[in-house]
Amino acid sequence: METLATTFIGPLAALTAALFWALATLLYSQAGSYLSAAQLNLVKGIVACPLLLLAGWFSGQLLQLQGNLATYLLLASGVIGITLGDTLYFAALRRLGPWHTMLLEYLAPPFAALLAWILLAQGMHWYEVAAALVIIAGIFVVISEKPRSAERVQLSVSGVAAGIGAALCQALGLVMSFHALQEFDMNPLNAALLRLLAGTLALNIALVLLKPSLIKSTRAALRHTSIPWLLTAIVMGTFLAIWLQQTAIAYINPGLAQTLLATAPLWLIPIQWLRGQPLSARSIIGALIAVSGIALLFGIQ
């Protein structure tokens, strides 16, 4: 029974994190767009770090820094995946819009699988590769369809570069976290806390050195932002999602974990339907393809 539970913890954690990211995406759009990419990244880290500290304290798993390789790997992965990766993602989102940004985001699963194979000699089983390809195909069908109301977005070189850079940073950060969790005695909550602390601290230092005016203007931008929507998005999309993300990669291969984490657009389909928006045949077909890939993964395991 314990082996069966362990088998499903990783995939379920990744899928739940994807659900929270989907909900957070909608909530961020409700909160307003007065915060820049760096400001939004900064605010979410400042809010989520104390929440992870409290969760660690109440659960008796509060972090104890030991100065080992795992600690340094997680700190570095936080700087790469959160400071750089999330800032580049938000920058791409502002330049390209959500649909093109999500298309570029699907470079992250193959990046993660390739990096894990090169750096850690971590290959994927044939059925994991097959399931991942089916899932990615289904997601691509869904997100390659633009909403009828969407305005035509002019693709920019800087936006495309930011999107590719975000996918690469997220994949590299995920692989580094995977190595730390697999090789050392580190629980997912502490890993999430270390990554977020490092990412937020590095972003603060970078802004102080490069653009201190951005920190000062953050308070003014928050006055024009819906604080309840923003806080709810941060709790779901950062505090809970990064905890679940670290839980997922503690149990499954980085390439597969990144594939399941990338299913956020699928969760948007029933959410939008519940909000009264009609579903297209293409989105339903794409969702069914991706779900069949997920079913293949769970069925074989």
Side-chain angles (χ1 to χ4, degrees), residues 3 12 19-20 55 110 133 136-137 152 154-155 166 184 189-190 205 216 220 225 232 235-236 265 274 286 301:
T3 303
L12 289 175
L19 169 61
F20 287 156
L133 290 174
I136 292 173
R152 188 177 296 275
Q154 185 68 36
L155 294 181
F184 302 93
L189 176 60
N190 286 342
I205 294 172
K216 296 178 182 178
T225 304
T232 306
V235 169
M236 299 187 74
L274 290 172
Q301 288 189 356

Side-chain angles (χ1 to χ4, degrees), residues 10 80 139 170 185 188 223 226 230:
I80 293 170
I139 295 170
Q170 289 173 8
D185 185 18
R223 294 194 190 104
S226 175
L230 180 61

Side-chain angles (χ1 to χ4, degrees), residues 247-272:
T247 301
I249 62 176
Y251 289 94
I252 54 178
N253 178 279
L256 182 59
Q258 187 66 67
T259 301
L260 294 174
L261 290 166
T263 57
L266 298 182
W267 292 107
L268 288 175
I269 294 173
I271 292 171
Q272 297 289 51

Side-chain angles (χ1 to χ4, degrees), residues 156-182:
S156 66
V157 174
S158 62
V160 172
I164 295 173
L168 182 58
C169 287
Q170 289 173 8
L172 182 56
L174 197 79
V175 170
M176 295 170 74
S177 294
F178 174 81
H179 182 58
L181 289 166
Q182 292 293 316

Side-chain angles (χ1 to χ4, degrees), residues 37 84-96 100-101 104-105 107 156-170:
L84 294 176
D86 285 1
T87 300
L88 287 170
Y89 178 80
F90 289 134
L93 199 60
R94 293 176 71 89
R95 288 171 172 81
L96 303 177
H100 288 104
T101 301
L104 292 172
E105 190 68 11
L107 292 172
S156 66
V157 174
S158 62
V160 172
I164 295 173
L168 182 58
C169 287
Q170 289 173 8

Side-chain angles (χ1 to χ4, degrees), residues 14-261:
L15 291 170
T16 308
L19 169 61
F20 287 156
W21 276 327
L23 292 169
T25 299
L26 295 176
L27 292 170
Y28 279 129
S29 65
Q30 293 289 331
S33 57
Y34 293 95
L35 293 167
S36 69
Q39 286 173 323
L40 183 56
N41 202 4
L42 181 65
V43 171
K44 74 179 181 61
I46 291 174
V47 172
C49 282
L51 294 177
L52 285 168
L53 278 169
L54 287 173
W57 185 70
F58 280 115
S59 64
Q61 302 177 37
L62 195 57
L63 177 69
Q64 291 184 349
L65 291 176
Q66 299 177 355
N68 56 18
L69 180 59
T71 300
Y72 298 125
L73 277 172
L74 289 165
L75 290 172
S77 74
V79 175
I80 293 170
I82 295 174
T83 306
L84 294 176
D86 285 1
T87 300
L88 287 170
Y89 178 80
F90 289 134
L93 199 60
R94 293 176 71 89
R95 288 171 172 81
L96 303 177
W99 295 99
H100 288 104
T101 301
M102 282 191 290
L103 278 173
L104 292 172
E105 190 68 11
Y106 288 102
L107 292 172
F111 278 162
L114 183 63
L115 288 169
W117 177 60
I118 294 173
L119 300 177
L120 306 179
Q122 281 281 338
M124 295 173 66
H125 297 292
W126 68 267
Y127 61 84
E128 292 177 331
V129 174
L133 290 174
V134 173
I135 294 168
I136 292 173
I139 295 170
F140 185 83
V141 170
V142 173
I143 66 175
S144 60
E145 177 186 30
K146 296 180 183 178
R148 294 177 183 175
S149 60
E151 297 179 358
R152 188 177 296 275
V153 177
Q154 185 68 36
L155 294 181
S156 66
V157 174
S158 62
V160 172
I164 295 173
L168 182 58
C169 287
Q170 289 173 8
L172 182 56
L174 197 79
V175 170
M176 295 170 74
S177 294
F178 174 81
H179 182 58
L181 289 166
Q182 292 293 316
E183 298 297 323
F184 302 93
D185 185 18
M186 177 77 68
N187 65 63
L189 176 60
N190 286 342
L193 178 57
L194 267 178
R195 293 193 74 218
L196 195 58
L197 279 172
T200 304
L201 181 60
L203 183 58
N204 268 287
I205 294 172
L207 290 178
V208 168
L209 294 176
L210 301 175
K211 205 168 184 180
S213 60
L214 204 63
I215 297 179
K216 296 178 182 178
S217 63
T218 301
R219 182 178 297 180
L222 285 171
R223 294 194 190 104
H224 302 283
T225 304
S226 175
I227 300 300
W229 287 120
L230 180 61
L231 290 177
T232 306
I234 291 171
V235 169
M236 299 187 74
T238 304
F239 166 58
L240 293 174
I242 195 172
W243 189 352
L244 288 164
Q245 178 203 55
Q246 296 303 300
T247 301
I249 62 176
Y251 289 94
I252 54 178
N253 178 279
L256 182 59
Q258 187 66 67
T259 301
L260 294 174
L261 290 166

